[in-house]
Amino acid sequence: MSKTSQAELIRAGKGFIAALDQSGGSTPKALRLYGVEETAYNNDDEMFGLIHEMRSRIAQAPAFTGDKVVGAILFEKTMDSDIAGKPSATFMWEDRGVVPFLKVDKGLAAEENGAQVMNAMPELDALLDKANSKGIFGTKMRSVINAANADGIKAVVGQQFDVAKQIIAKGLMPIVEPEVTISIADKSEAEEMLRDEILAQLDALSEDQNVMLKLTLPNAANLYQPLVDHPRVLRVVALSGGYSRQQANDMLAQNAGIIASFSRALTEGLSAQQDDAAFNGTIEATISEIYDASVAG
């Protein structure tokens, strides 16, 4: 796999990044929305097997190709599994033309100063080495901001960039994801503070240190334009964060230069009970809608 060609596809390609990285905590909800109740599995292994079937079905849908989906974020168990008889990351790139990323965080710490930093990742270097061996291009890690609190936002962004530098040193592209909770009363203020804190961190990077950013869709259109334009940023992508797909698409279309990286909004309307024709038709329509919103700006 050529990381140069993958980087160019992410930088300039038209399309969006599919987030197929539901973790242990979010998998039961994702399966319920897909029509699979908790009574359908008896343990974590069976649960992850069922979510892998869903992800594999999405990845093998005729519309899931690099024409409109430039990247896909995988859960570690997905990376370690096969799709259509090939290692998942290899299938994504060789068969679909989709650049593979890996979720690397290990969940969130308790809230402090209105924010949740990431849990410690003592085995991150080993995971990054494995990711490199499996053809992964980049990584993603998520923190959460629940208030416009300067100390909390500074802690989240500082940790994200510290870990990003560790990831860059391993030759991988980090997606920095400080998610702002969409329901908080001071969301607009938090987003302005977040933008400024990220800019300070970006300005401190060297010319050989580049990152991607995954951000909650902002209340104010084009609030993150300075981040989109920053020379240390390969691409800015947006999470749906609990917005419906329609609302997320409408907001995304108002933000120039930002593309989608949706999870729940991507799988909205899909069901384990659908036959292949219905499933493939639904995901094709969804991909087209998200693609259109991603290229609108």
Side-chain angles (χ1 to χ4, degrees), residues 242-284:
Y243 292 121
S244 69
R245 183 167 66 238
Q246 185 61 59
Q247 188 174 7
N249 284 338
D250 289 346
M251 294 175 73
L252 178 61
Q254 299 173 38
N255 287 274
I258 299 180
I259 63 174
S261 179
F262 294 168
S263 175
R264 187 202 49 74
L266 173 66
T267 57
E268 186 180 308
L270 297 177
S271 169
Q273 287 72 44
Q274 290 170 322
D275 62 22
D276 286 346
F279 182 93
N280 290 337
T282 300
I283 194 66
E284 180 179 10

Side-chain angles (χ1 to χ4, degrees), residues 157-219:
V157 177
Q159 183 197 39
Q160 282 274 350
F161 274 82
D162 285 345
V163 178
K165 292 169 188 173
Q166 184 179 352
I167 292 165
I168 292 168
K170 287 287 189 177
L172 293 160
M173 172 59 62
I175 300 178
V176 168
E177 183 186 11
E179 175 180 347
V180 177
T181 302
I182 67 171
S183 59
I184 60 175
D186 51 2
K187 179 172 180 278
S188 295
E189 294 83 352
E191 289 169 342
E192 291 178 4
M193 296 167 71
L194 176 62
R195 176 200 58 201
D196 294 344
E197 194 63 39
I198 292 174
L199 276 172
Q201 289 283 348
L202 290 172
D203 288 342
L205 294 177
S206 61
E207 289 188 4
D208 61 346
Q209 292 177 315
N210 297 312
V211 301
M212 293 174 62
L213 302 171
K214 181 168 179 174
L215 306 172
T216 304
L217 288 157
N219 287 351

Side-chain angles (χ1 to χ4, degrees), residues 11 18 26-27 36 45 47-48 51 54 93 98 113 116 121 123 144 151 167 205 221 224 243 262 269:
R11 185 190 68 79
S26 57
T27 293
V36 178
D45 286 342
M47 177 185 74
F48 284 120
I51 198 73
M54 182 188 82
W93 181 241
V98 173
N113 294 321
Q116 290 176 274
M121 293 177 274
E123 299 175 356
V144 172
D151 289 338
I167 292 165
L205 294 177
Y224 294 131
Y243 292 121
F262 294 168

Side-chain angles (χ1 to χ4, degrees), residues 6-171:
Q6 291 176 332
E8 182 59 22
L9 178 59
I10 295 299
R11 185 190 68 79
K14 290 187 178 297
F16 66 94
I17 295 175
L20 303 176
D21 60 332
Q22 297 91 351
S23 61
S26 57
T27 293
K29 181 179 179 181
L31 284 172
R32 281 197 303 274
L33 292 171
Y34 185 54
V36 178
E37 297 298 328
E38 293 183 43
T39 53
Y41 50 89
N42 298 307
N43 52 50
D44 283 355
D45 286 342
E46 291 181 8
M47 177 185 74
F48 284 120
L50 289 167
I51 198 73
H52 184 65
E53 288 178 12
M54 182 188 82
R55 292 165 175 157
S56 299
R57 198 177 184 193
I58 292 170
Q60 294 177 84
F64 193 91
T65 72
D67 291 339
K68 292 185 177 179
V69 184
V70 294
I73 304 170
L74 309 178
F75 187 54
E76 184 178 356
K77 285 182 178 293
T78 308
M79 178 185 72
D80 291 339
S81 301
D82 290 351
I83 298 176
K86 286 187 176 183
S88 294
T90 302
F91 173 83
M92 286 289 183
W93 181 241
E94 292 184 353
D95 290 48
R96 312 312 264 167
V98 173
V99 178
F101 292 80
L102 175 68
K103 168 188 164 69
V104 296
D105 69 82
K106 300 302 180 184
L108 301 169
E111 183 174 319
E112 186 174 346
N113 294 321
Q116 290 176 274
V117 299
M118 298 177 287
N119 285 326
M121 293 177 274
E123 299 175 356
L124 179 59
D125 278 342
L127 179 57
L128 298 176
D129 289 340
K130 182 168 74 166
N132 269 316
S133 74
K134 291 180 176 287
I136 294 291
F137 170 76
T139 65
K140 190 214 79 164
M141 50 192 175
R142 172 177 172 264
S143 311
V144 172
I145 295 166
N146 292 315
N149 181 300
D151 289 338
I153 291 173
K154 187 177 183 68
V156 160
V157 177
Q159 183 197 39
Q160 282 274 350
F161 274 82
D162 285 345
V163 178
K165 292 169 188 173
Q166 184 179 352
I167 292 165
I168 292 168
K170 287 287 189 177

